């Protein structure tokens, strides 16, 4: 715990300067590195609570979906994942897709949480990149090499827009997966929305 | 054995000549370069069948039949026999400190760790610093090449596939340990793979068998994870442009 707060303090001190520099030209960011880090701190606390709760898989999936809805920019992630096809969608299709997608993510990734039981996630550092912040976390599970999960937090609204597990982006991989699903349904978005409710 | 030996020696000699001269930067790879997608998909389908028929049942028999401590031991042993190979690669990459680090790790685990069955080194700060010949080639400025799906091994690239072959020849243990004992090395690797298959079964199933286009997922996962390991900042720009797009 003390190592954790030291790392954080050092990171914050170092980054305060970077933020000041980054904020100088052009637009001022509404959100700071410290805030981005605090947000992911909360996410991580919730994740740690889930993986140490000993709850059933179904309950973990529900809890994970809640984290996703509470802290992620779900509507924008859904739009990104839908790709160019998303632009042609109507407002009601977009919101229906967002809801279906959020359940799909909860199920698909919530299931993986079983593998994290007994592990711990810690926020290590944060840095501004363009109009986003990258918040680095390290997950340690006994007997395995620690691995890195990076959350990409938007400076505009303080929600995370992506998470990258050891370099694998959720947005990028789901964009490929959802794209394939849509192709298989000959671009029928309504069919995809209906099917997505049970996939994952 | 003779043939393998002389090839091995030749590669090491050529390689050490190269390491002195080459400090080139490998070209930044294309997002996905998969010109042989049709034949790769066939091989991927074959691997899926193989996994369903052989690997998954064997790994659950292995996983359920043995206590976790024994599986851990097999995995440690396999990692340990790979260490001399990583030392050679670290030297070829000019990473002499890491080479020394892995040498001491090997010495500790081979003795106090009872021939590598226990990983005592990590506890005293000698954690694994893994590498392979694919990474060495990357350091020498060799391009990643095409995405390929290898039989049994699965996703790879031209560069990494060459690396797998060379790593097999490069491991000094395969010369020091006389046959038939040297057969223990590949066997340990195969058995250790079964352990990984068991431990990460859920994730492997998700990538290999679930989803609507597991081929595309496996390709994306392999390329991105590998580039991340090698420290290649590829397509990051594109990804940030993509995020930006969402706010327009």
């Amino acid at each position: 715990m003390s190592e954790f707060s030291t790392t954080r303090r050092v990171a914050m001190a170092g980054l305060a300067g970077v933020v000041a520099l980054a904020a100088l030209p052009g637009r001022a960011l509404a959100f700071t590195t410290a805030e981005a880090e605090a947000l992911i701190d909360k996410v991580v606390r919730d994740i740690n609570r889930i993986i140490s709760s000993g709850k059933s898989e179904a309950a973990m999936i529900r809890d994970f979906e809640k984290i996703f809805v509470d802290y992620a920019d779900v509507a924008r992630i859904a739009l990104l994942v839908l790709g160019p096809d998303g632009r042609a969608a109507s407002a009601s299709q977009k919101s229906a897709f967002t809801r279906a997608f959020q359940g799909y993510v909860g199920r698909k990734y919530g299931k993986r949480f079983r593998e994290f039981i007994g592990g711990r996630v810690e926020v290590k550092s944060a840095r501004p990149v363009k109009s986003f912040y990258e918040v680095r976390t390290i997950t340690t599970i006994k007997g395995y090499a620690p691995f890195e999960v990076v959350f990409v937090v938007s400076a505009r609204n303080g929600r995370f827009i992506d998470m990258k597990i050891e370099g694998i982006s959720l947005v990028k991989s789901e964009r490929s997966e959802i794209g394939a699903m849509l192709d298989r349904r000959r671009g029928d978005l309504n069919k995809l929305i209906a099917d997505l409710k049970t996939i994952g | 054995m003779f043939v393998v030996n002389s090839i091995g020696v030749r590669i090491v000699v050529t390689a050490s000549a190269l390491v002195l001269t080459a400090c080139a930067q490998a070209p930044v790879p294309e997002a996905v370069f998969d010109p042989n997608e049709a034949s790769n998909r066939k091989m991927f389908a074959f691997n899926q069948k193989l996994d369903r028929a052989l690997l998954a049942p064997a790994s659950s028999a292995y996983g359920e039949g043995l206590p976790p401590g024994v599986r851990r031991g097999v995995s440690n042993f396999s990692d340990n026999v790979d260490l001399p190979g990583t030392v050679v690669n670290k030297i070829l990459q000019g990473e002499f400190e890491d080479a020394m680090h892995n040498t001491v790790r090997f010495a500790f685990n081979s003795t106090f760790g009872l021939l590598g069955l226990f990983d005592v080194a990590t506890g005293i700060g000698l954690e694994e610093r893994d590498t392979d010949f694919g990474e060495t080639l990357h350091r020498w400025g060799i391009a990643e090449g095409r995405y390929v799906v290898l039989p049994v091994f699965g996703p790879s690239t031209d560069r990494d596939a060459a690396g797998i072959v060379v790593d097999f020849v490069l491991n000094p243990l395969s010369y020091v340990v006389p046959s038939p004992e040297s057969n223990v090395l590949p066997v340990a690797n195969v058995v250790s793979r079964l352990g990984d298959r068991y431990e990460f079964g859920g994730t492997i199933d998700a990538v290999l068998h679930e989803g609507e286009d597991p081929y595309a997922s496996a390709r994306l996962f392999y390329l991105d994870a590998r580039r991340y390991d090698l420290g290649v900042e590829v397509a990051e720009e594109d990804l940030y442009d993509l995020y930006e797009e969402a706010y327009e």
Side-chain angles (χ1 to χ4, degrees), chain A residues 115 134 143-144 148 162 177, chain B residues 72 199 203 212 228 240 243:
Chain A
E115 288 153 26
E134 284 195 348
Y144 298 101
E148 183 187 84
D162 199 2
E177 179 71 7
Chain B
R72 198 77 230 136
E199 303 274 354
T203 309
E212 301 215 358
Y228 169 86
Y240 275 91
Y243 302 148

Side-chain angles (χ1 to χ4, degrees), chain B residues 1-21:
Chain B
M1 210 52 208
F2 260 107
V3 181
V4 171
N5 263 329
S6 68
I7 293 173
V9 169
R10 214 178 309 148
I11 287 166
V12 173
V13 172
T14 326
S16 25
L18 267 170
V19 77
L20 296 173
T21 52

Side-chain angles (χ1 to χ4, degrees), chain A residues 6-18:
Chain A
T6 314
T7 317
R8 202 167 55 164
R9 224 175 304 127
V10 170
M12 277 183 182
L15 281 159
V18 181

Side-chain angles (χ1 to χ4, degrees), chain A residues 11-12 15-23 28-41 125-135 151-159:
Chain A
M12 277 183 182
L15 281 159
V18 181
V19 175
L21 280 177
L29 301 177
F31 200 65
T32 66
T33 309
E35 283 173 300
E37 199 175 320
L39 171 90
I40 301 306
D41 245 349
S125 60
R127 66 184 182 116
V129 182
K130 297 192 173 178
S131 57
F132 300 91
Y133 293 99
E134 284 195 348
V135 183
F151 289 87
V152 181
V153 179
S154 167
R156 290 186 183 82
N157 61 7
R159 285 174 166 269

